[in-house]
């Protein structure tokens, strides 16, 4: 049986499989009122830019009422909009702007935790007898042999330090996997779950939102016996403990309930953030259509390459080989075979450095352009639902290396840098700064460069206030206005290959993936095979190096066709000319690829 039918694609497909999702980080996308902070009216003003790119679904990162300790992932009211982003009426306008163009809108659903400023938590901490006390996770103190108070467990949080904070008012600790200002909700409490469904989900679905990206979706079910984690980081009081809260004993029960009670009745699309889940056998239960849990999830093995791990030493950068990248891609391209599950394709989001700075080459303008296009080619030819992050389509890069640590605003960056400073180890401090320059979440949060002819790169139209984060100083060369006018730009190339992805969806969205040359450290090559009406194949060959490379593959042989039946579908090294992009392959079956050049061939006459 072919992959197309193995994946439950008999009959009409779910619309979201072939859709292009585009993540907007609202604080950094477009500022409409000149206060230095991006907002929803700013997004509405640029909705045609997204529509012309080919976006089907806008994913709006958190814009809810929040103290902004973690850029809106600390929500104080699920049914209000943070005033700097706009109003409820502005969200309604955004919904209308999307729907009138045939696009959809999904919101971030952040329900593993709230802000300490949420009314639920204020009630919960008011007294041990409050009806909402059990809506959060509270535990009494432990005491060491000297009688000193210590947390209930030795678990380390994601942002450094313990997962427990002492509350003087009620003389107990509350659990927070992230910042101290983000207490975890207690999903074991059914009243709490129902309040989540009503307040955070149905409220927005009733307003016309089309679904959710679900934050930290596999962390709702914790080990309720709360054991200490094994000591894996010597000389630290706080130990990594994802096994205590990821993929817990009731997690599938909770997500199935969410689906049955809310997602399914509304026909809402769902994509979950699934961290610390490195095995395909762990992921399948979340995305199996028969399980009725989630439509798709983000799995992070590939995008975490280069990090020192999710906890201690995360920003101690670890160089990796192309062969390692290819192994991860191959694993997650093939894990859905013979299942009814589905996959996502992405290489950027708000929590990672820019793809062209991590996987490409920004050492010269020429290599930046070539590698940004090849990354685009790589992404659009992979099986699954494609997600782009704002600025990826114009090849946005990391902050300049010369910028000081004071430019890093993110709570996680500050936490890991502060931990390195506290260690007193100069080597570790320097290594952490070097790692942050590559991996930090801050890189993805720089203001979007719209225009090189106005202050603040056109991010703040009125330019009356400095943007909340510094505008990249390279914006005069790298901006949307310039790329819109250049048919050879990264943006123009994305538009071209995104159209091809939809035109050849049987190959690129649904095709069976087979990795070639797995140990080659310069060439990334794979075959995609369609299983629809014809046995059509495509060969993708990309040079992930700055040196010219000879490819030993015989294109016609790989595509199981005659030499004259081979067609060059797209070449990242060729300027966009418009019109029919299918060209004869040329006289040679074997190919030479320039620095960061990519080519896609098809057995066109089959």
């Amino acid at each position: 049986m072919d992959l197309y039918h193995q994946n439950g694609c008999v009959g009409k497909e779910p619309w979201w499989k072939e859709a292009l999702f585009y993540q907007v980080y609202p604080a950094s996308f477009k500022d409409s009122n000149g206060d230095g902070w991006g907002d929803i009216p700013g997004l509405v003003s640029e909705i045609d830019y997204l529509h012309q790119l080919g976006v089907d679904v806008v994913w709006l990162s958190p814009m809810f009422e929040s103290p902004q300790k973690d850029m809106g992932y600390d929500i104080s009211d699920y049914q209000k909009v943070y005033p700097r982003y706009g109003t409820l009426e502005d969200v309604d306008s955004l919904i209308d702007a999307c729907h009138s163009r045939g696009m959809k809108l999904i919101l971030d659903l952040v329900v593993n935790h709230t802000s300490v400023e949420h009314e639920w938590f204020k009630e919960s901490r008011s007294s041990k007898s409050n009806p909402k006390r059990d809506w959060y996770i509270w535990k009494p103190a432990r005491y060491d042999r000297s009688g000193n108070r210590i947390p209930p467990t030795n678990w380390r949080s994601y942002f450094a330090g313990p997962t427990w904070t002492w509350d003087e008012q009620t003389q107990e600790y509350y659990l927070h996997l992230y910042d101290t200002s983000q207490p975890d909700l207690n999903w074991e409490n059914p009243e709490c779950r129902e309040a989540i469904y009503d307040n955070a989900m149905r409220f927005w679905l009733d307003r016309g939102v089309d679904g959710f990206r679900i934050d930290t979706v596999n962390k709702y079910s914790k080990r309720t016996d709360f054991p200490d984690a094994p000591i894996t980081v010597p000389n630290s009081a706080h130990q990594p403990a994802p096994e205590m809260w990821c993929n817990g004993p009731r997690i599938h029960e909770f997500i199935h309930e969410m689906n049955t009670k809310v997602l399914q009745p509304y026909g809402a699309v769902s994509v979950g953030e699934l961290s610390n889940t490195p095995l395909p056998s762990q992921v399948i239960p979340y995305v199996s259509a028969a399980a009725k849990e989630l439509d798709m999830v983000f799995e992070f093995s590939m995008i975490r390459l280069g990090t020192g791990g999710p906890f201690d030493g995360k920003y101690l950068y670890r160089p990796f080989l192309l062969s390692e990248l290819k192994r991860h891609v191959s694993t997650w391209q093939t894990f859905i075979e013979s299942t009814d599950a589905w996959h996502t394709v992405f290489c950027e989001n708000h929590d990672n450095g820019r793809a062209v700075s991590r996987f490409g080459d920004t050492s010269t303008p020429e290599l930046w352009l070539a590698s940004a296009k090849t990354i685009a080619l790589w992404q659009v030819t992979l099986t699954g639902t494609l997600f782009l992050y704002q600025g990826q389509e114009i090849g946005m890069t990391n902050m300049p290396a010369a910028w000081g640590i004071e430019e890093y605003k993110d709570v996680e960056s500050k936490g890991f840098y502060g931990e390195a400073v506290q260690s007193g180890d100069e080597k570790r401090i320097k290594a952490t700064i070097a790692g942050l320059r590559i991996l930090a979440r801050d890189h993805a949060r720089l203001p979007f460069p719209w225009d090189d002819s106005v202050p603040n790169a056109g991010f703040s139209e009125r330019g009356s206030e400095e943007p909340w984060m510094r505008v990249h100083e390279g914006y005069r060369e790298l901006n949307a206005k310039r790329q819109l006018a250049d048919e050879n730009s990264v943006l123009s190339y994305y538009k071209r290959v995104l159209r091809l992805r939809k035109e050849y969806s049987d190959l690129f969205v649904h095709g069976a993936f087979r990795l070639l040359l797995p140990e080659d450290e310069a060439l990334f090559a794979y075959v995609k095979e369609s299983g629809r009406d014809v046995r059509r194949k495509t060969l993708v060959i990309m040079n992930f190096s700055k040196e010219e490379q000879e490819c030993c593959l015989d294109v016609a042989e790989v595509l199981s066709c005659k030499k004259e039946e081979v067609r060059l579908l797209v070449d990242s090294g060729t300027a966009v000319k418009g019109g029919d992009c299918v060209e004869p392959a040329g006289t040679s079956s074997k190919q030479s690829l320039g620095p960061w050049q990519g080519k896609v061939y098809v057995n066109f006459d089959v």
Side-chain angles (χ1 to χ4, degrees):
M1 182 181 291
D2 59 73
L3 178 60
Y4 180 67
H5 291 92
Q6 289 170 355
N7 289 338
C9 298
V10 177
K12 189 175 181 181
E13 298 260 2
W15 63 267
W16 40 264
K17 287 191 174 183
E18 296 183 8
L20 171 62
F21 287 67
Y22 184 100
Q23 182 185 1
V24 170
Y25 198 73
S28 301
F29 192 65
K30 186 66 178 285
D31 169 22
S32 70
N33 60 10
D35 67 353
W37 190 272
D39 48 46
I40 296 169
L43 169 56
V44 173
S45 74
E46 297 292 349
I47 202 71
D48 283 329
Y49 168 84
L50 300 182
H51 187 228
Q52 291 160 11
L53 177 62
V55 172
D56 299 297
V57 185
V58 176
W59 155 22
L60 183 61
S61 290
M63 77 305 166
F64 312 100
E65 184 70 82
S66 166
Q68 300 296 325
K69 298 290 186 181
D70 185 20
M71 289 304 298
Y73 284 91
D74 51 320
I75 296 172
S76 55
D77 193 324
Y78 287 109
Q79 299 184 0
K80 292 181 180 179
V81 177
Y82 181 55
R84 296 187 75 179
Y85 286 133
T87 65
L88 283 173
E89 290 71 27
D90 290 329
V91 178
D92 292 339
S93 296
L94 176 59
I95 294 170
D96 290 342
C98 289
H99 289 177
S100 67
R101 291 164 175 79
M103 301 161 66
K104 298 181 186 295
L105 176 70
I106 66 172
L107 301 182
D108 240 298
L109 181 64
V110 186
V111 290
N112 175 72
H113 48 265
T114 68
S115 165
V116 291
E117 298 299 321
H118 198 291
E119 288 301 321
W120 294 350
F121 188 71
K122 290 180 179 179
E123 287 191 50
S124 184
R125 79 187 313 178
S126 66
S127 74
K128 292 181 180 179
S129 60
N130 186 277
K132 288 187 174 61
R133 180 67 172 183
D134 193 43
W135 284 31
Y136 294 83
I137 300 171
W138 295 91
K139 291 294 173 186
R142 296 188 298 177
Y143 294 88
D144 62 20
R145 293 179 180 178
S146 300
N148 299 309
R149 186 183 70 222
I150 59 174
T153 70
N154 66 348
W155 302 350
R156 174 195 168 101
S157 82
Y158 279 92
F159 294 164
T163 58
W164 299 94
T165 289
W166 178 252
D167 180 60
E168 285 289 344
Q169 185 167 336
T170 56
Q171 296 289 293
E172 283 192 327
Y173 284 91
Y174 64 86
L175 179 72
H176 53 88
L177 300 186
Y178 294 90
D179 189 65
T180 59
S181 65
Q182 296 167 291
D184 278 45
L185 288 159
N186 181 16
W187 276 70
E188 299 286 334
N189 184 307
E191 291 181 357
C192 178
R193 297 200 303 273
E194 288 298 329
I196 289 169
Y197 302 153
D198 273 337
N199 282 260
M201 299 180 73
R202 294 188 183 103
F203 175 83
W204 292 104
L205 292 167
D206 286 338
R207 294 188 87 92
V209 165
D210 300 291
F212 301 99
R213 176 267 187 182
I214 307 178
D215 188 61
T216 61
V217 75
N218 59 333
K219 296 174 184 173
Y220 305 156
S221 176
K222 279 81 171 176
R223 283 273 300 269
T224 55
D225 52 345
F226 296 98
D228 273 343
I231 305 298
T232 57
V233 183
N235 303 317
S236 174
H238 317 301
Q239 300 295 315
E243 69 276 13
M244 303 299 176
W245 62 69
C246 283
N247 311 310
R250 297 185 67 190
I251 190 62
H252 293 292
E253 174 190 343
F254 292 155
I255 298 176
H256 180 75
E257 180 184 86
M258 176 193 289
N259 183 295
T260 302
K261 290 189 173 184
V262 187
L263 297 172
Q264 191 174 345
Y266 282 89
V269 64
S270 59
V271 53
E273 180 190 33
L274 203 69
S275 62
N276 299 300
T277 310
L279 301 177
S281 60
Q282 297 172 308
V283 175
I284 290 289
Y286 287 97
V287 290
S288 164
K292 298 189 186 321
E293 292 188 19
L294 301 168
D295 293 323
M296 36 189 172
V297 296
F298 298 124
E299 195 285 325
F300 294 112
S301 295
M302 186 278 292
I303 204 172
R304 294 297 192 221
L305 283 172
T307 62
F311 297 97
D312 182 69
K314 177 177 181 179
Y315 290 106
L316 301 179
Y317 183 71
R318 180 184 63 81
F320 58 89
L321 297 172
L322 178 62
S323 56
E324 188 176 357
L325 170 67
K326 291 191 286 189
R327 282 194 294 273
H328 284 299
V329 172
S330 181
T331 295
W332 296 104
Q333 280 289 285
T334 59
F335 88 107
I336 58 175
E337 292 184 18
S338 302
T339 75
D340 62 350
W342 193 241
H343 184 48
T344 56
V345 178
F346 69 104
C347 66
E348 283 198 29
N349 61 24
H350 63 293
D351 283 337
N352 292 276
R354 290 291 184 175
V356 71
S357 296
R358 297 181 60 205
F359 305 115
D361 191 331
T362 59
S363 59
T364 70
E366 294 77 18
L367 291 173
W368 161 78
L369 178 64
S371 62
K373 288 182 177 182
T374 291
I375 288 171
L377 191 63
W378 167 40
Q379 291 294 286
V380 302
T381 55
L382 293 178
T383 295
T385 298
L386 179 59
F387 286 75
L388 297 184
Y389 179 72
Q390 68 181 43
Q392 181 179 342
E393 77 281 5
I394 61 172
M396 283 186 71
T397 62
N398 281 357
M399 296 178 183
W403 285 12
I405 193 66
E406 69 277 2
E407 300 292 349
Y408 292 76
K409 314 280 188 189
D410 177 53
V411 62
E412 183 176 78
S413 299
K414 291 179 176 179
F416 277 87
Y417 174 70
E419 189 175 51
V421 170
Q422 288 177 2
S423 74
D425 183 341
E426 286 298 324
K427 185 177 179 181
R428 185 180 181 91
I429 294 170
K430 290 180 180 179
T432 299
I433 293 174
L436 287 169
R437 285 174 177 157
I438 301 171
L439 302 166
R441 307 198 304 179
D442 305 78
H443 299 298
R445 304 175 184 190
L446 297 187
F448 191 102
W450 290 99
D451 191 336
D452 60 353
S453 64
V454 294
N456 299 325
F459 164 71
S460 293
E461 289 188 348
R462 300 179 189 177
S464 58
E465 296 285 344
E466 286 296 316
W468 74 281
M469 285 195 77
R470 185 175 171 183
V471 173
H472 198 296
E473 56 199 32
Y475 79 90
R476 295 194 184 280
E477 291 74 38
L478 201 170
N479 61 78
K481 180 182 178 181
R482 175 173 289 198
Q483 293 199 21
L484 283 167
D486 180 3
E487 66 177 8
N488 194 40
S489 68
V490 177
L491 177 58
S492 295
Y493 188 75
Y494 260 100
K495 289 182 177 181
R496 180 187 184 193
V497 294
L498 287 169
R499 289 194 297 269
L500 283 176
R501 178 174 172 83
K502 291 195 173 183
E503 182 180 352
Y504 293 85
S505 61
D506 61 317
L507 287 168
F508 299 140
V509 179
H510 301 285
F513 176 99
R514 178 164 60 90
L515 181 67
L516 305 175
L517 310 176
E519 302 305 321
D520 194 301
E521 300 299 351
L523 294 177
F524 193 170
Y526 45 86
V527 173
K528 301 290 295 294
E529 182 173 352
S530 169
R532 287 188 176 178
D533 298 328
V534 295
R535 189 67 63 178
R536 187 159 59 175
K537 288 184 178 182
T538 183
L539 171 62
V540 182
I541 311 173
M542 299 170 291
N543 179 4
F544 268 53
S545 80
K546 63 177 64 178
E547 308 294 335
E548 185 173 338
Q549 301 290 332
E550 293 293 329
C551 181
C552 65
L553 297 171
D554 186 304
V555 178
E557 182 178 318
V558 171
L559 294 178
S560 305
C561 65
K562 298 176 182 178
K563 182 177 177 180
E564 57 269 22
E565 293 173 342
V566 174
R567 294 292 182 271
L568 177 63
L569 184 62
V570 64
D571 180 349
S572 70
T574 303
V576 177
K577 300 297 185 185
D580 188 0
C581 55
V582 177
E583 303 172 6
T587 58
S588 176
S589 296
K590 298 182 181 181
Q591 298 296 313
S592 173
L593 287 89
W596 288 100
Q597 184 178 11
K599 296 181 180 181
V600 179
Y601 298 94
V602 292
N603 53 349
F604 193 72
D605 291 343
V606 174

